[in-house]
Amino acid sequence: MKIGIIGYGNLGRGVEIAVNAAPDMELAAVFTRRDPKSVSIISKDVPVVNVSEVADWKDKIDVMVICGGSATDLPVQTPEYAKLFNVIDSFDTHARIPEHFANVDKAAKESGHVGLISCGWDPGLFSLNRVYANAILPDGKDYTFWGKGVSQGHSDAVRRIEGVKNAKQYTIPVEAALEAVRNGENPELTTRDKHTREVFVVAKEGADKALIEKQIKEMPNYFDEYNTTVHFIDEDEFNKNHSGMAHGGFVFRSGRTGVNKENNHIIEYSLKLDSNPEFTTSVLVAYARAVKRMYDEGQRGCKTVLDVPPTYLSEKSDEELRNHLL
Ligand code: NDP
């Protein structure tokens, strides 16, 4: 299978690592909007090409992994490149998934390709677990907790405050809330009950730290509904202790069965990730394999992880999977 990458940020690099580790895949080329000479990739023998030349690669790539940002890149890039290639992306703006699905579906159907969107862990593996668990336990409640991990969106929002030189924001699940769910108490939890936020800030010289802290804690949508702790640290400590991209989270379904609903069942799925981008791209690359299989068997249009049979993710045969993993 020949794989292409469009956009070389954290995910682009992660896809390169995952493709190099896959026995049935080969990286054909990396495409960027920047000057290709300014983008240095890991593989020495793979071309880096400006995205303006992507049409020349139309018949040389089985699946293109689109690695742009969800906010402004993917809504444009995924439908655009679905005109030329089978594509897959990690679009994670949950509220806009129906609109993105419709745009990719139209482009992929018109050009005769498969486009799989919103793949990764959330949306992605977490979504799959929610669907399985809701089907199995229709009378129940869903809970999702994120962290402990770095939220890029919240870190960016803090960096935009005047006087802030650098910042990292960690989302942390509240242990008592996790325990209540695990114990089958089926609690009603507000936003504040489920997560706390911790921010590490490097302030510019002479900046008003009290004002920065106030602006963080009162920021609408990002921090105002949470209990937030702010720490001011120096640049050395920031670089030493806060340069990682760890993340993770939990998806629960707590549901009842029985004539009098006397039995409670809890499904818990959790992820603990040292590197959010490397894990996300490991998911993307497994699903890229499925995209090619779906295309080869004649499927067309937009898909999500919910449409993919599990056997399509593996490079092993169905028989091997039945014998060893069933
Ligand atoms: P990055 O900001 O690292 O990269 C996004 C784009 O920015 C790249 O495609 C690249 O495009 C450009 N870029 C990257 N580095 C530079 C640079 N040094 N200078 C100029 N441009 C640069 O984003 P991530 O890869 O971390 O994440 C992409 C998206 O993945 C996120 O927006 C997030 O929504 C989504 N995601 C989804 C997950 C899920 O579970 N579904 C999990 C994690 C992330 P180009 O090469 O063309 O310049």
Side-chain angles (χ1 to χ4, degrees), residues 230-302:
V230 179
H231 307 274
F232 288 92
I233 57 175
D234 63 28
E235 202 142 27
D236 285 347
E237 189 185 338
F238 190 89
N239 293 335
K240 193 164 140 235
N241 297 329
H242 301 285
S243 55
M245 280 190 269
H247 217 321
F250 307 81
V251 168
F252 291 90
R253 177 94 179 153
S254 180
R256 294 194 171 275
T257 64
V259 178
N260 300 313
K261 305 287 178 200
E262 64 276 24
N263 294 312
N264 200 63
H265 311 276
I266 296 161
I267 302 175
E268 175 175 352
Y269 178 79
S270 80
L271 293 172
K272 192 167 182 293
L273 315 173
D274 272 357
S275 163
N276 180 1
E278 285 179 21
F279 183 79
T280 301
T281 49
S282 299
V283 182
L284 276 167
V285 165
Y287 275 90
R289 186 175 289 124
V291 167
K292 166 128 172 37
R293 292 207 180 140
M294 292 163 100
Y295 175 78
D296 287 347
E297 66 182 28
Q299 296 201 43
R300 299 293 181 262
C302 192

Side-chain angles (χ1 to χ4, degrees), residues 55-120:
D56 298 346
W57 292 74
K58 191 175 164 0
D59 301 315
K60 297 177 196 151
I61 285 171
D62 294 307
V63 182
M64 191 66 97
V65 189
I66 320 267
C67 297
S70 288
T72 53
D73 293 340
L74 297 178
V76 180
Q77 289 178 328
T78 313
E80 183 62 27
Y81 298 117
K83 293 177 188 164
L84 297 169
F85 303 95
N86 294 315
V87 292
I88 180 166
D89 78 19
S90 66
F91 185 71
D92 71 355
T93 315
H94 290 256
R96 292 186 65 198
I97 289 176
E99 173 191 340
H100 188 53
F101 184 95
N103 293 337
V104 175
D105 196 46
K106 183 166 183 289
K109 280 192 175 139
E110 280 172 8
S111 67
H113 290 105
V114 173
L116 195 146
I117 63 158
S118 300
C119 183

Side-chain angles (χ1 to χ4, degrees), residues 7-11 32-34 67-70 90 92 121-123 280:
Y8 198 78
N10 298 312
L11 291 199
T32 177
R33 291 165 291 192
R34 287 167 279 164
C67 297
S70 288
S90 66
D92 71 355
W121 57 282
D122 196 6
T280 301

